[in-house]
Amino acid sequence: MATFNLPLSGTSTFILLGIPGLEADHIWISIPFFIFYIISLLGNVTVLFVVGKEQTLHKPMYLLLCMLALTDIGMSTSVMPKAFCIFWFNLKRITVRGCLTQMFFLHAASAMHSAVLVTMAFDRYVAICNPLRYANIVTNAQIAKLGLVGLIRAVLFILPLALLLSRLPFCANHIISHTYCEHIAVANISCGDIAVNRMYGLIIGFVVIGLDLTLIALSYCLIIRTLLRISSKKAHQKALNTCTAHICVMLTSYPPSLFSILTHRFGQGITLQVHIILANLYFVIPPMLNPIIYGAKTKEICDKVGKYTCRM
C-alpha cells in the first residue's frame, strides 16, 4: 500500500467531510454559525478599535481585553472560513501544509487564550490584594511581557504537534471526518503508530489547562482570603463585581475546551455529528460572548462604544 510522508508531499491533500451524515443540511447548519462568527468579529474588532482610539483606555486592564479579543479572532478565524467553504461551496480539499498550518494556529490561539485568562486572574489578584501597589506592579510593559511569555509558551507547546504529525505515514485514507484539522482527527487517519501523538496531545491539553486553572484557582483563593479579612460589605461587593466578567469568560471557555479534548479521545458514546457541532461551537460561542460580557460589565468600554455609535 502506497504511503507518503508530509514533508515530502506538499501537493498532497486531505478531504474534510464537514459533518458526515448531515451534508444535505450543511447550508442550514451554517446559518447560525455564520451569525455567531460575524457577531464575534464585530464585537472583538469594536473592542480593539475603541481601546486603540481612546488614550484614556491605554491601561493594563484594557490591554488585556485587546489581547483576549485578538485570541478570540484568531480562534474563530482559524476554523470558520474553511468550514463555510465546506458548507456553502463543497470545497472539502485542503493541502497537507494548509492542514498543518490550520491545526497549529487553532491550537496555539487556544493556548494563548488560556494564558490571557491567567494574566487576567493575576491582574484581579493584585488589584484586590495589593491595591496600593497595583500601579507599580501591573503596568502596560509588564502585561506586554506576560503576553509575550504566553505566546512563546503556545508556540513551544503546539509546534511539536505539527512536527509529530509530519512524521506520520498516510496511506489510502485521506478523509478527515471533521470541519477542520484537529490534531487527533488527523492522526487517526494515519496508518502508522500514533501512540506518541495521542500521549503528547493529552499531556499538552492537561498541562496547559491544568496549570492555568491551578494558577487561576490560586489567585481566587488569595482573593477570597483577602475579602474575608474585610468587614465592609460594600468593599466585598465592589471586589466581586470586578471579578464577575472574568469568571463568566472562564465559564464560557474552559468547560467547552475540556469537553472537546476529552471527547476526541474518550467520547465513543457521543455521536460524531454532535461532537463536530459542539467542537465548532467552541470556536464561535466564547469569542462571540466575551466582548459582550466585558462590554456590559466594563462601564468605560460601554460608554466609549455608545459614543462612537452615536457618531455614526
Side-chain angles (χ1 to χ4, degrees):
M1 186 180 295
T3 66
F4 67 87
N5 290 318
L6 298 185
L8 305 177
S9 55
T11 57
S12 300
T13 60
F14 290 135
I15 297 175
L16 292 165
L17 288 184
I19 308 176
L22 296 177
E23 288 86 353
D25 300 314
H26 273 176
I27 293 292
W28 296 108
I29 293 171
S30 72
I31 294 174
F33 280 101
F34 182 70
I35 293 172
F36 296 156
Y37 179 60
I38 293 300
I39 293 173
S40 72
L41 285 182
L42 289 174
N44 287 295
V45 169
T46 298
V47 170
L48 293 172
F49 172 78
V50 170
V51 174
K53 290 284 289 184
E54 293 291 332
Q55 289 290 331
T56 57
L57 299 182
H58 291 181
K59 299 175 182 178
M61 184 176 75
Y62 303 106
L63 180 57
L64 283 169
L65 291 184
C66 288
M67 291 165 60
L68 187 68
L70 287 172
T71 59
D72 282 339
I73 292 172
M75 285 173 59
S76 58
T77 303
S78 65
V79 171
M80 297 317 301
K82 179 58 182 177
F84 294 139
C85 287
I86 297 170
F87 292 154
W88 296 341
F89 309 113
N90 205 35
L91 298 175
K92 299 182 177 182
R93 292 187 177 273
I94 184 170
T95 65
V96 171
R97 289 194 175 95
C99 187
L100 290 178
T101 300
Q102 184 191 49
M103 188 213 70
F104 172 79
F105 278 106
L106 71 90
H107 288 303
S110 297
M112 185 62 193
H113 187 272
S114 184
V116 173
L117 292 180
V118 174
T119 309
M120 286 180 157
F122 169 73
D123 172 77
R124 291 301 84 205
Y125 158 72
V126 177
I128 294 171
C129 299
N130 295 285
L132 298 180
R133 299 183 58 199
Y134 178 82
N136 294 325
I137 297 175
V138 184
T139 63
N140 286 346
Q142 190 67 29
I143 294 299
K145 289 177 184 177
L146 290 174
L148 181 60
V149 169
L151 178 61
I152 293 172
R153 184 190 74 158
V155 172
L156 292 179
F157 280 175
I158 303 305
L159 188 58
L161 289 179
L163 296 178
L164 286 171
L165 276 181
S166 70
R167 299 174 63 85
L168 290 175
F170 289 83
C171 305
N173 182 18
H174 300 168
I175 298 174
I176 303 171
S177 298
H178 218 306
T179 56
Y180 60 87
C181 292
E182 201 277 336
H183 170 243
I184 289 299
V186 178
N188 280 339
I189 66 171
S190 170
C191 54
D193 184 6
I194 64 170
V196 175
N197 296 72
R198 283 184 170 277
M199 183 61 66
Y200 184 78
L202 197 60
I203 289 172
I204 288 301
F206 280 103
V207 166
V208 171
I209 296 180
L211 176 62
D212 290 352
L213 282 176
T214 299
L215 292 173
I216 291 170
L218 177 62
S219 296
Y220 275 97
C221 286
L222 294 173
I223 288 172
I224 292 170
R225 187 184 69 173
T226 299
L227 292 179
L228 291 176
R229 295 174 178 176
I230 301 173
S231 58
S232 172
K233 290 185 178 180
K234 185 177 180 180
H236 284 180
Q237 189 64 40
K238 182 178 179 181
L240 290 174
N241 283 340
T242 65
C243 298
T244 302
H246 182 246
I247 293 171
C248 290
V249 168
M250 287 194 299
L251 290 175
T252 65
S253 300
Y254 283 119
S257 177
L258 284 169
F259 177 84
S260 182
I261 291 172
L262 293 173
T263 53
H264 263 299
R265 292 159 178 83
F266 313 113
Q268 290 82 6
I270 300 175
T271 64
L272 182 61
Q273 293 88 345
V274 171
H275 169 74
I276 293 174
I277 290 173
L278 291 178
N280 278 271
L281 285 173
Y282 166 65
F283 287 98
V284 288
I285 295 297
M288 177 185 71
L289 293 179
N290 291 345
I292 296 173
I293 291 169
Y294 271 102
K297 296 298 294 183
T298 309
K299 184 177 184 298
E300 292 82 358
I301 293 285
C302 193
D303 290 344
K304 299 303 181 183
V305 170
K307 183 182 79 171
Y308 284 106
T309 303
C310 291
R311 288 181 180 179
M312 295 175 63

